[in-house]
Amino acid sequence: MCLFSAGRTSPTVVHVVICVYCITHSVISSNTMAHAGLLLLISLTISVGQAFSFYGGSMTFMPGNRYPGGEVEMHFYYRESGKLPCDPQVAWVCDSGDCGILTFSEPEVTEQDHSGQINWCQYERHMTTNVTGDEPFTLSDSGCCWANNVHDVREWTLHSLVDTRQRSDTQTANKSPVSATIPNIRVPQNCFQHLHLLAHDPDGDNVRCKCPFCHQHPNINLDEDSCTLSSNGTLDLGLHVFEFTMEDYPVSNITLTKENGISSVRNPYNQTANIDSTALSQVPLQFGVEILTPVHSCVPGVNRPSLLTPTPLHGDVQHAAVGSVHIITLRAQSSGNSIFDFQVSGPWNMSKSLRNASQGVTEAMLTWTPQESDLHHHVPVCFTAETLQSQSEMRCIVIIVAKSRVLSGEAEVFCEDNSISIAISKASMKGIDQNWLQLRDPTCSLTSNETHILGMVSLDTCGTTVEDSGDFMVFKNEINSFENPNEVITRHNQVKIGFSCQYPKVASVSNHYINKKSDFIFTESRFGTFSYSFDIFTDNNFSSPVDPSLYPLEINLMDVLYMGIAAHSALPEVQLFVESCRATPDDNPYSALSYDIIKEGCILDGTVEVYHSDARTYDFGIQAFKFTGGYNEVYITCSVILCVEGSSNSRCAQGCLREPARKRRRDVSKETDRHHITQGPFRVARHTQHSAAESENGGSLHISAGTAVFSGLFIVSIVVLVGLWVYNSKKTRATDRMYLMSNF
């Protein structure tokens, strides 16, 4: 007897849950029954195969019209990812409260796999309902199954909390946080460091990401404030499932008011104070991250594509108008593997065209014309550049749809080392009252003269933000019009003028020999533009650098090289820390053949002598060496960090870390990122050695019999010692690359 049961877990797919217990005492001889049984088994296999197809989903919602009598129109936008065929699995149902009657549009495919490897897709669906009650309500659904994953997560559950009461600050119902991800996130195992998720709120609320089951990922940390996943260890190969709930909290106390006038207070999020911090709404964000086999190098632009300007930065907000074409340009480069596509999660009617440029650069143009139904919608768009082996970082932006285009004036922007200035022509903004304009941080003021509106911001104040565009660090601010928060109407046109400056992430300003890399320029938000110099000096006074025309520098083994690293910054109180220095036989700091001179702030080479210097310089000497195996050149690459002087929790204050257990939580706001600077090459001088006897006897060498015997025994001894040395080296230094160096 065979028993089985079937259950419905989605609106279109019937998944069969098999509970089989068969006891067979005789052979079934009927061909008809055999064929029927075979068909049943095939159908069960297909159904179960389809069940393992969920790749994640996200939802956002916003209020529409508010009708007389208090009825509120609500719009829901849901995206779901899974394996082909692109059949929706989620059927949202009312879980609690008065949800009205949900109406669903037909699902529209927004993106699908073009590589032929995984055959995934993503679709979008629009739902509406008219809510007559003014109490919060919830929508939810659950089912099976997630795609096969590392932690064997099967069931998925989606939950949304909606509150239609009127907010005191916006005079309308609450809008949910906005987020999304691409359908298929892929990262090589040795390259996963951070995953920045979109956390935008149309009402300007504080968004927090909650992940109740993230404890299943012991090597993953979640920053709930920034919605960022970070790695603190190696992740297992395969698909990792993340089930987030995004919540929004007001930035200041507000009230939510019912139609009958009864109000309740909502407070900002406060984890420590004894205050009731209740979320205004909750929406799901669920996705998977595929951890791929390691790659040789994680340097962007080589094995992993690097996004280049003018690709929008993560978190950018763009503005579009109903009926007007909106264009987004994406650009990426990969020298190691060709880019075959850009994976995009966006509105269903967004089109994409690709163009191959030179030097491994590929461009994509995204084109979208918002419809009337998109009015006031904050639309998330996420994208990555794709190769068959990997993908670029994921970036997500938001497009706000208005009835007409936002006004923008003519402006000139001036980029200085540590500040940005803007001058807006008044003639280009006729009818605009400058008294209703402000910077992103309203506490920073604008000035004006007869012809221009003027503003100046530093790189880390007045709401200036910084983004890594791949090849540049981009500092951004904006001038916006603002409204009286106590008024529900306005007679001022909306103005939005974004301005930015981009600085090369790394620039060598040396005009000398191509491999003589002396000066390196970097840019970061809290430290502005700063640079390092890495020079070779003639002696231990460190006052006379070696003439650049002598590069590549020729040295003798055992000579002392005097090297100096100096930090240059406009900030008055900064401290230099040299975390590591590594020697390689070529201009590749990640070379498999290397020798550690300094590691984790600890000096490993016994010939290194550090000389007293100030907080911004690091002077040291080291005996010259070369690599065995026929290599005659040596490059030295050091990783350096700049810290706020006196900060007790910075990497500079930690010093030498010989034991991992000594590592403690660092205050990253008090230090720069780790930067690499390179010096070299150094070439070993070739010498032809002649014996004194040869010189004195016209080229003839006379050796006595006793000397010959002694020499023979000496040579045999040397051979034995060398054999023992090689044997011990292979035993004890299999993983120590120091044996590759010869230091005489």
Side-chain angles (χ1 to χ4, degrees):
M1 178 178 66
C2 296
L3 303 176
F4 67 91
S5 63
R8 182 180 183 275
T9 59
S10 83
T12 59
V13 180
V14 175
H15 303 300
V16 179
V17 181
I18 308 172
C19 304
V20 180
Y21 179 70
C22 297
I23 304 175
T24 305
H25 296 284
S26 62
V27 178
I28 300 175
S29 60
S30 170
N31 288 334
T32 302
M33 293 187 65
H35 291 161
L38 179 61
L39 290 174
L40 175 61
L41 288 175
I42 292 173
S43 65
L44 296 181
T45 302
I46 292 173
S47 297
V48 172
Q50 287 179 336
F52 291 89
S53 62
F54 188 66
Y55 260 59
S58 62
M59 174 183 275
T60 64
F61 64 80
M62 57 174 285
N65 297 319
R66 182 180 289 271
Y67 300 103
E71 188 177 59
V72 179
E73 180 183 68
M74 297 298 298
H75 295 266
F76 300 87
Y77 301 88
Y78 173 67
R79 294 180 190 174
E80 180 183 329
S81 302
K83 288 189 176 181
L84 292 171
C86 211
D87 294 326
Q89 294 192 45
V90 179
W92 290 95
V93 296
C94 186
D95 191 48
S96 67
D98 180 7
C99 307
I101 300 176
L102 287 169
T103 59
F104 298 80
S105 68
E106 288 297 319
E108 300 282 356
V109 175
T110 62
E111 180 67 297
Q112 59 184 350
D113 185 14
H114 298 288
S115 71
Q117 290 184 321
I118 301 178
N119 296 323
W120 47 260
C121 74
Q122 185 178 79
Y123 77 86
E124 182 180 53
R125 209 169 192 179
H126 180 204
M127 303 180 295
T128 59
T129 184
N130 288 349
V131 182
T132 55
D134 49 14
E135 293 290 342
F137 64 89
T138 58
L139 302 175
S140 66
D141 193 22
S142 60
C144 184
C145 293
W146 273 95
N148 289 326
N149 56 85
V150 171
H151 296 100
D152 199 30
V153 179
R154 298 300 189 201
E155 301 290 330
W156 49 263
T157 300
L158 301 171
H159 173 89
S160 293
L161 171 66
V162 187
D163 195 331
T164 62
R165 290 177 293 179
Q166 183 169 292
R167 295 174 54 134
S168 58
D169 55 346
T170 64
Q171 305 299 316
T172 186
N174 184 63
K175 304 179 184 70
S176 76
V178 173
S179 191
T181 66
I182 58 171
N184 181 226
I185 303 174
R186 302 177 296 135
V187 188
Q189 188 181 47
N190 57 325
C191 299
F192 185 87
Q193 294 181 337
H194 305 285
L195 178 62
H196 300 284
L197 301 172
L198 179 64
H200 170 83
D201 192 271
D203 297 318
D205 295 326
N206 177 27
V207 178
R208 296 185 64 83
C209 292
K210 301 292 183 69
C211 184
F213 301 107
C214 275
H215 63 273
Q216 296 176 346
H217 306 276
N219 293 328
I220 288 288
N221 292 327
L222 170 64
D223 186 333
E224 293 187 354
D225 289 327
S226 64
C227 294
T228 300
L229 288 173
S230 301
S231 170
N232 61 359
T234 302
L235 300 182
D236 293 334
L237 297 179
L239 184 69
H240 292 252
V241 168
F242 295 93
E243 298 173 300
F244 281 28
T245 297
M246 306 194 73
E247 302 179 342
D248 55 337
Y249 298 84
V251 294
S252 60
N253 292 344
I254 65 170
T255 59
L256 301 177
T257 305
K258 298 181 180 181
E259 281 297 312
N260 60 11
I262 299 176
S263 299
S264 60
V265 177
R266 285 290 183 268
N267 304 302
Y269 182 84
N270 193 323
Q271 194 172 15
T272 57
N274 187 21
I275 299 176
D276 178 22
S277 297
T278 302
L280 294 165
S281 67
Q282 295 176 334
V283 288
L285 176 64
Q286 301 191 1
F287 57 92
V289 177
E290 185 79 17
I291 300 299
L292 308 174
T293 55
V295 294
H296 173 67
S297 172
C298 296
V299 178
V302 183
N303 290 320
R304 298 188 66 195
S306 175
L307 296 175
L308 308 175
T309 53
T311 306
L313 302 175
H314 183 72
D316 272 2
V317 176
Q318 299 186 358
H319 295 261
V322 171
S324 298
V325 176
H326 187 77
I327 297 175
I328 303 171
T329 301
L330 310 180
R331 189 167 175 263
Q333 182 177 36
S334 177
S335 60
N337 302 294
S338 61
I339 298 171
F340 71 89
D341 194 16
F342 283 82
Q343 190 180 162
V344 178
S345 174
W348 67 270
N349 55 342
M350 175 176 279
S351 62
K352 174 177 61 180
S353 61
L354 299 178
R355 185 181 77 87
N356 290 323
S358 60
Q359 299 180 340
V361 175
T362 303
E363 297 177 350
M365 180 177 292
L366 308 182
T367 305
W368 180 50
T369 303
Q371 308 300 308
E372 193 70 32
S373 58
D374 299 310
L375 184 61
H376 306 310
H377 186 199
H378 291 231
V379 182
V381 177
C382 300
F383 48 84
T384 57
E386 300 286 314
T387 70
L388 291 177
Q389 293 76 20
S390 184
Q391 64 186 192
S392 69
E393 61 171 312
M394 180 181 71
R395 293 186 188 175
C396 298
I397 66 172
V398 173
I399 304 175
I400 302 176
V401 181
K403 191 71 175 178
S404 58
R405 291 193 175 277
V406 176
L407 295 178
S408 183
E410 296 177 2
E412 284 188 272
V413 179
F414 306 92
C415 302
E416 306 295 337
D417 283 350
N418 295 288
S419 64
I420 306 174
S421 300
I422 182 172
I424 306 168
S425 170
K426 289 183 177 180
S428 67
M429 300 177 61
K430 294 180 179 179
I432 301 299
D433 187 347
Q434 68 183 66
N435 294 318
W436 291 93
L437 299 178
Q438 64 182 19
L439 288 162
R440 183 176 286 156
D441 181 352
T443 61
C444 296
S445 59
L446 296 169
T447 60
S448 65
N449 56 29
E450 293 182 358
T451 59
H452 289 82
I453 300 171
L454 307 172
M456 186 179 76
V457 298
S458 70
L459 300 185
D460 61 349
T461 62
C462 298
T464 303
T465 59
V466 60
E467 292 286 348
D468 185 342
S469 71
D471 44 354
F472 290 89
M473 296 293 290
V474 182
F475 294 80
K476 305 170 62 179
N477 210 310
E478 60 189 24
I479 295 175
N480 293 311
S481 57
F482 65 96
E483 312 296 345
N484 188 332
N486 298 318
E487 301 290 342
V488 296
I489 67 169
T490 181
R491 290 185 171 86
H492 306 290
N493 288 319
Q494 184 183 8
V495 177
K496 180 181 180 66
I497 303 172
F499 60 96
S500 64
C501 285
Q502 60 182 28
Y503 300 83
K505 290 174 65 177
V506 182
S508 176
V509 298
S510 172
N511 294 319
H512 309 305
Y513 182 75
I514 187 169
N515 284 326
K516 193 271 175 184
K517 298 177 180 177
S518 175
D519 300 315
F520 301 80
I521 300 174
F522 302 90
T523 304
E524 292 189 20
S525 58
R526 292 186 57 84
F527 289 79
T529 299
F530 55 95
S531 64
Y532 299 103
S533 59
F534 192 2
D535 289 299
I536 307 298
F537 293 89
T538 57
D539 53 40
N540 59 7
N541 291 322
F542 298 96
S543 57
S544 301
V546 171
D547 188 344
S549 65
L550 298 178
Y551 281 83
L553 194 62
E554 194 168 271
I555 58 174
N556 295 313
L557 293 176
M558 297 293 290
D559 282 354
V560 176
L561 280 172
Y562 297 102
M563 313 181 76
I565 301 174
H568 310 280
S569 171
L571 298 179
E573 297 179 354
V574 293
Q575 177 183 356
L576 170 68
F577 181 70
V578 178
E579 187 176 46
S580 71
C581 285
R582 167 181 289 188
T584 56
D586 51 37
D587 195 11
N588 175 16
Y590 305 100
S591 174
L593 180 59
S594 64
Y595 170 66
D596 287 319
I597 300 170
I598 302 172
K599 186 176 182 180
E600 293 288 356
C602 307
I603 297 173
L604 302 185
D605 184 285
T607 70
V608 170
E609 181 178 359
V610 179
Y611 293 82
H612 176 73
S613 52
D614 59 35
R616 297 185 182 219
T617 58
Y618 187 88
D619 297 329
F620 66 99
I622 182 174
Q623 283 188 354
F625 57 85
K626 70 171 184 175
F627 285 90
T628 59
Y631 298 99
N632 288 318
E633 291 189 345
V634 176
Y635 294 78
I636 296 178
T637 299
C638 297
S639 67
V640 290
I641 297 173
L642 208 58
C643 306
V644 175
E645 195 170 12
S647 173
S648 59
N649 292 324
S650 68
R651 180 64 185 93
C652 300
Q654 291 180 356
C656 170
L657 296 175
R658 294 191 183 275
E659 301 176 6
R662 287 192 56 202
K663 291 186 178 182
R664 61 180 185 270
R665 186 178 181 87
R666 288 153 54 183
D667 186 355
V668 295
S669 66
K670 301 296 184 181
E671 64 188 55
T672 67
D673 289 336
R674 182 182 294 108
H675 295 291
H676 294 84
I677 57 178
T678 300
Q679 180 58 271
F682 314 116
R683 289 181 179 172
V684 176
R686 297 179 180 271
H687 296 284
T688 303
Q689 295 184 350
H690 302 277
S691 69
E694 180 181 2
S695 174
E696 294 172 359
N697 296 283
S700 299
L701 188 60
H702 302 281
I703 303 176
S704 67
T707 303
V709 172
F710 175 79
S711 299
L713 292 174
F714 178 77
I715 291 172
V716 170
S717 300
I718 291 297
V719 169
V720 172
L721 289 173
V722 169
L724 290 173
W725 179 79
V726 171
Y727 174 76
N728 289 327
S729 295
K730 289 182 178 179
K731 283 183 59 179
T732 62
R733 299 188 178 184
T735 59
D736 188 352
R737 292 175 178 158
M738 290 176 62
Y739 78 95
L740 296 168
M741 183 212 75
S742 64
N743 193 340
F744 303 99

